[in-house]
mmCIF file with all atom_site columns, all heavy atoms in Angstrom:
data_model
loop_
_atom_site.group_PDB
_atom_site.id
_atom_site.type_symbol
_atom_site.label_atom_id
_atom_site.label_alt_id
_atom_site.label_comp_id
_atom_site.label_asym_id
_atom_site.label_entity_id
_atom_site.label_seq_id
_atom_site.pdbx_PDB_ins_code
_atom_site.Cartn_x
_atom_site.Cartn_y
_atom_site.Cartn_z
_atom_site.occupancy
_atom_site.B_iso_or_equiv
_atom_site.pdbx_formal_charge
_atom_site.auth_seq_id
_atom_site.auth_comp_id
_atom_site.auth_asym_id
_atom_site.auth_atom_id
_atom_site.pdbx_PDB_model_num
ATOM 1  N N   . SER B 1 176 ? 60.772 84.449 142.348 1.00 96.00 ? 176 SER B N   1
ATOM 2  C CA  . SER B 1 176 ? 61.387 84.563 141.010 1.00 96.00 ? 176 SER B CA  1
ATOM 3  C C   . SER B 1 176 ? 62.200 83.325 140.707 1.00 96.00 ? 176 SER B C   1
ATOM 4  O O   . SER B 1 176 ? 62.675 83.208 139.606 1.00 96.00 ? 176 SER B O   1
ATOM 5  C CB  . SER B 1 176 ? 62.308 85.795 140.958 1.00 96.00 ? 176 SER B CB  1
ATOM 6  O OG  . SER B 1 176 ? 61.627 86.913 141.419 1.00 96.00 ? 176 SER B OG  1
ATOM 7  N N   . PHE B 1 177 ? 62.404 82.460 141.708 1.00 96.00 ? 177 PHE B N   1
ATOM 8  C CA  . PHE B 1 177 ? 63.351 81.372 141.494 1.00 96.00 ? 177 PHE B CA  1
ATOM 9  C C   . PHE B 1 177 ? 62.640 80.045 141.636 1.00 96.00 ? 177 PHE B C   1
ATOM 10 O O   . PHE B 1 177 ? 61.645 79.863 142.361 1.00 96.00 ? 177 PHE B O   1
ATOM 11 C CB  . PHE B 1 177 ? 64.512 81.452 142.501 1.00 96.00 ? 177 PHE B CB  1
ATOM 12 C CG  . PHE B 1 177 ? 65.197 82.802 142.430 1.00 96.00 ? 177 PHE B CG  1
ATOM 13 C CD1 . PHE B 1 177 ? 64.797 83.890 143.178 1.00 96.00 ? 177 PHE B CD1 1
ATOM 14 C CD2 . PHE B 1 177 ? 66.188 83.012 141.505 1.00 96.00 ? 177 PHE B CD2 1
ATOM 15 C CE1 . PHE B 1 177 ? 65.375 85.126 143.066 1.00 96.00 ? 177 PHE B CE1 1
ATOM 16 C CE2 . PHE B 1 177 ? 66.789 84.270 141.407 1.00 96.00 ? 177 PHE B CE2 1
ATOM 17 C CZ  . PHE B 1 177 ? 66.364 85.311 142.165 1.00 96.00 ? 177 PHE B CZ  1
ATOM 18 N N   . ASN B 1 178 ? 63.190 79.025 140.970 1.00 94.00 ? 178 ASN B N   1
ATOM 19 C CA  . ASN B 1 178 ? 62.722 77.661 141.061 1.00 94.00 ? 178 ASN B CA  1
ATOM 20 C C   . ASN B 1 178 ? 63.144 77.087 142.370 1.00 94.00 ? 178 ASN B C   1
ATOM 21 O O   . ASN B 1 178 ? 63.975 77.637 143.062 1.00 94.00 ? 178 ASN B O   1
ATOM 22 C CB  . ASN B 1 178 ? 63.239 76.824 139.888 1.00 94.00 ? 178 ASN B CB  1
ATOM 23 C CG  . ASN B 1 178 ? 62.766 77.350 138.553 1.00 94.00 ? 178 ASN B CG  1
ATOM 24 O OD1 . ASN B 1 178 ? 61.585 77.659 138.388 1.00 94.00 ? 178 ASN B OD1 1
ATOM 25 N ND2 . ASN B 1 178 ? 63.708 77.505 137.596 1.00 94.00 ? 178 ASN B ND2 1
ATOM 26 N N   . ALA B 1 179 ? 62.599 75.899 142.664 1.00 93.00 ? 179 ALA B N   1
ATOM 27 C CA  . ALA B 1 179 ? 62.936 75.222 143.922 1.00 93.00 ? 179 ALA B CA  1
ATOM 28 C C   . ALA B 1 179 ? 64.431 75.001 144.042 1.00 93.00 ? 179 ALA B C   1
ATOM 29 O O   . ALA B 1 179 ? 65.023 75.042 145.135 1.00 93.00 ? 179 ALA B O   1
ATOM 30 C CB  . ALA B 1 179 ? 62.146 73.962 144.073 1.00 93.00 ? 179 ALA B CB  1
ATOM 31 N N   . ASP B 1 180 ? 65.075 74.658 142.879 1.00 91.00 ? 180 ASP B N   1
ATOM 32 C CA  . ASP B 1 180 ? 66.535 74.389 142.963 1.00 91.00 ? 180 ASP B CA  1
ATOM 33 C C   . ASP B 1 180 ? 67.378 75.671 142.982 1.00 91.00 ? 180 ASP B C   1
ATOM 34 O O   . ASP B 1 180 ? 68.583 75.601 142.893 1.00 91.00 ? 180 ASP B O   1
ATOM 35 C CB  . ASP B 1 180 ? 66.907 73.504 141.773 1.00 91.00 ? 180 ASP B CB  1
ATOM 36 C CG  . ASP B 1 180 ? 66.700 74.208 140.443 1.00 91.00 ? 180 ASP B CG  1
ATOM 37 O OD1 . ASP B 1 180 ? 66.206 75.315 140.473 1.00 91.00 ? 180 ASP B OD1 1
ATOM 38 O OD2 . ASP B 1 180 ? 67.096 73.607 139.386 1.00 91.00 ? 180 ASP B OD2 1
ATOM 39 N N   . GLY B 1 181 ? 66.712 76.825 143.085 1.00 89.00 ? 181 GLY B N   1
ATOM 40 C CA  . GLY B 1 181 ? 67.481 78.072 143.226 1.00 89.00 ? 181 GLY B CA  1
ATOM 41 C C   . GLY B 1 181 ? 67.735 78.722 141.844 1.00 89.00 ? 181 GLY B C   1
ATOM 42 O O   . GLY B 1 181 ? 68.230 79.879 141.799 1.00 89.00 ? 181 GLY B O   1
ATOM 43 N N   . SER B 1 182 ? 67.453 78.033 140.790 1.00 92.00 ? 182 SER B N   1
ATOM 44 C CA  . SER B 1 182 ? 67.730 78.652 139.461 1.00 92.00 ? 182 SER B CA  1
ATOM 45 C C   . SER B 1 182 ? 66.628 79.708 139.194 1.00 92.00 ? 182 SER B C   1
ATOM 46 O O   . SER B 1 182 ? 65.572 79.671 139.701 1.00 92.00 ? 182 SER B O   1
ATOM 47 C CB  . SER B 1 182 ? 67.661 77.597 138.405 1.00 92.00 ? 182 SER B CB  1
ATOM 48 O OG  . SER B 1 182 ? 66.425 76.973 138.352 1.00 92.00 ? 182 SER B OG  1
ATOM 49 N N   . PHE B 1 183 ? 67.052 80.647 138.342 1.00 95.00 ? 183 PHE B N   1
ATOM 50 C CA  . PHE B 1 183 ? 66.146 81.735 137.987 1.00 95.00 ? 183 PHE B CA  1
ATOM 51 C C   . PHE B 1 183 ? 64.962 81.296 137.127 1.00 95.00 ? 183 PHE B C   1
ATOM 52 O O   . PHE B 1 183 ? 65.160 80.504 136.231 1.00 95.00 ? 183 PHE B O   1
ATOM 53 C CB  . PHE B 1 183 ? 66.920 82.851 137.264 1.00 95.00 ? 183 PHE B CB  1
ATOM 54 C CG  . PHE B 1 183 ? 66.119 84.061 136.913 1.00 95.00 ? 183 PHE B CG  1
ATOM 55 C CD1 . PHE B 1 183 ? 65.830 85.010 137.890 1.00 95.00 ? 183 PHE B CD1 1
ATOM 56 C CD2 . PHE B 1 183 ? 65.608 84.235 135.657 1.00 95.00 ? 183 PHE B CD2 1
ATOM 57 C CE1 . PHE B 1 183 ? 65.082 86.126 137.592 1.00 95.00 ? 183 PHE B CE1 1
ATOM 58 C CE2 . PHE B 1 183 ? 64.828 85.320 135.360 1.00 95.00 ? 183 PHE B CE2 1
ATOM 59 C CZ  . PHE B 1 183 ? 64.578 86.288 136.308 1.00 95.00 ? 183 PHE B CZ  1
ATOM 60 N N   . ASN B 1 184 ? 63.765 81.825 137.441 1.00 95.00 ? 184 ASN B N   1
ATOM 61 C CA  . ASN B 1 184 ? 62.597 81.459 136.616 1.00 95.00 ? 184 ASN B CA  1
ATOM 62 C C   . ASN B 1 184 ? 62.141 82.664 135.855 1.00 95.00 ? 184 ASN B C   1
ATOM 63 O O   . ASN B 1 184 ? 62.540 82.876 134.735 1.00 95.00 ? 184 ASN B O   1
ATOM 64 C CB  . ASN B 1 184 ? 61.523 80.867 137.537 1.00 95.00 ? 184 ASN B CB  1
ATOM 65 C CG  . ASN B 1 184 ? 60.302 80.484 136.767 1.00 95.00 ? 184 ASN B CG  1
ATOM 66 O OD1 . ASN B 1 184 ? 60.409 80.218 135.561 1.00 95.00 ? 184 ASN B OD1 1
ATOM 67 N ND2 . ASN B 1 184 ? 59.125 80.459 137.395 1.00 95.00 ? 184 ASN B ND2 1
ATOM 68 N N   . VAL B 1 185 ? 61.312 83.517 136.435 1.00 96.00 ? 185 VAL B N   1
ATOM 69 C CA  . VAL B 1 185 ? 60.895 84.773 135.824 1.00 96.00 ? 185 VAL B CA  1
ATOM 70 C C   . VAL B 1 185 ? 60.963 85.859 136.898 1.00 96.00 ? 185 VAL B C   1
ATOM 71 O O   . VAL B 1 185 ? 60.888 85.617 138.086 1.00 96.00 ? 185 VAL B O   1
ATOM 72 C CB  . VAL B 1 185 ? 59.442 84.665 135.255 1.00 96.00 ? 185 VAL B CB  1
ATOM 73 C CG1 . VAL B 1 185 ? 59.386 83.723 134.125 1.00 96.00 ? 185 VAL B CG1 1
ATOM 74 C CG2 . VAL B 1 185 ? 58.481 84.351 136.362 1.00 96.00 ? 185 VAL B CG2 1
ATOM 75 N N   . PRO B 1 186 ? 61.154 87.098 136.428 1.00 97.00 ? 186 PRO B N   1
ATOM 76 C CA  . PRO B 1 186 ? 61.360 88.177 137.449 1.00 97.00 ? 186 PRO B CA  1
ATOM 77 C C   . PRO B 1 186 ? 59.982 88.533 138.133 1.00 97.00 ? 186 PRO B C   1
ATOM 78 O O   . PRO B 1 186 ? 59.013 88.864 137.478 1.00 97.00 ? 186 PRO B O   1
ATOM 79 C CB  . PRO B 1 186 ? 61.875 89.358 136.637 1.00 97.00 ? 186 PRO B CB  1
ATOM 80 C CG  . PRO B 1 186 ? 61.471 89.063 135.232 1.00 97.00 ? 186 PRO B CG  1
ATOM 81 C CD  . PRO B 1 186 ? 61.310 87.616 135.075 1.00 97.00 ? 186 PRO B CD  1
#
Side-chain angles (χ1 to χ4, degrees):
Chain B
S176 309
F177 305 92
N178 297 313
D180 64 355
S182 60
F183 181 80
N184 181 24
V185 294

